[in-house]
């Protein structure tokens, strides 16, 4: 009995050591952020409320999601040809030096140097992103709003293995001509029942795009006092249902 009580702690320690060797800490997956900015006539980013709201949201996105080497942010314009309208592609290049074997003083110096380099990089990226926000689209492509075309872009990002975050800076009023498309400017859903039915019908057409389980946020241009006619809640319900059907995810609305 006495021998067993001496051996047992040794076996436990050996087991713990082996477990640590088997399960090294894994680095966080990189973040792949997609920003879709509406460049159609129905969204005016020159309005003070819209511009202030969008600038702050973009600032937060860069600050929160561009934090480690390999984190990526791409900006696409929503218009007639959304999937081909990539306006910006940015990747964090700042890298933290190896901390292995470093003492407390060296670790602090390495961390400080990394944060300074990262903040400088993020400042450059933010200026580029805000420049795209204010870029005007006066061409014919501003007549149509093809939000469906963002789905293959999201699917492609998901193939990277990164954590995908999607932001729509848009009123989400899909508007594309064609018998198998939606034009919410002409025929918006009249109630949630119609919105759900249309979304489920459209999900069957769009299920070929395997978009995974991205985090999706819609940042609308509407002021809190906007009327129901201007900010149609049934359009929002359409998109909630569509993404629920396609990926089992809920949309955050801001």
């Amino acid at each position: 009995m006495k021998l067993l009580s001496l051996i047992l702690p040794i076996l436990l320690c050996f087991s713990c050591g082996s477990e640590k060797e088997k399960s090294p800490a894994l680095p966080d997956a990189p973040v792949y952020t997609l920003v879709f900015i509406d460049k159609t006539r129905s969204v005016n980013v020159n309005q003070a409320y819209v511009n202030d709201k969008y600038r702050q949201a973009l600032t937060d996105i860069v600050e929160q999601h561009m934090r480690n080497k390999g984190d990526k942010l791409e900006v696409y314009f929503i218009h007639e040809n959304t999937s081909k309208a990539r306006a910006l592609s940015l990747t964090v290049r700042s890298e933290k030096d190896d901390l292995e074997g470093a003492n407390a003083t060296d670790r602090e110096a390495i961390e400080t140097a990394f944060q300074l380099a990262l903040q400088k990089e993020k400042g450059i990226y933010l200026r580029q992103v805000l420049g795209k926000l204010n870029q005007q689209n006066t061409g014919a492509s501003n007549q149509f709003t093809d939000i469906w075309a963002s789905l293959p872009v999201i699917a492609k990002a998901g193939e990277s293995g990164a954590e995908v975050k999607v932001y729509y800076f848009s009123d989400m009023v899909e508007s594309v001509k064609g018998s198998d498309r939606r034009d919410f400017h002409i025929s918006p859903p009249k109630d949630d029942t119609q919105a759900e039915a249309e979304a489920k019908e459209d999900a069957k057409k769009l299920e070929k795009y395997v978009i995974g389980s991205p985090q999706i946020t819609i940042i609308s241009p509407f002021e809190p006092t906007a009327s129901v006619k201007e900010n149609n809640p049934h359009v929002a319900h359409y998109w909630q249902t569509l993404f629920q059907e396609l990926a089992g995810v809920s949309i955050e609305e801001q």
Side-chain angles (χ1 to χ4, degrees), residues 48-62:
Y49 173 82
V50 179
N51 198 267
D52 290 347
K53 180 178 182 179
Y54 279 9
R55 287 176 68 87
Q56 184 58 58
L58 289 169
T59 300
D60 293 342
I61 288 168
V62 171

Side-chain angles (χ1 to χ4, degrees), residues 173 188-192 222-236:
V173 178
K190 295 180 174 62
D191 52 37
D192 281 354
F222 304 115
E223 297 193 43
T225 55
S227 67
V228 171
K229 183 178 180 181
E230 183 182 6
N231 182 13
N232 185 340
H234 311 308
V235 169

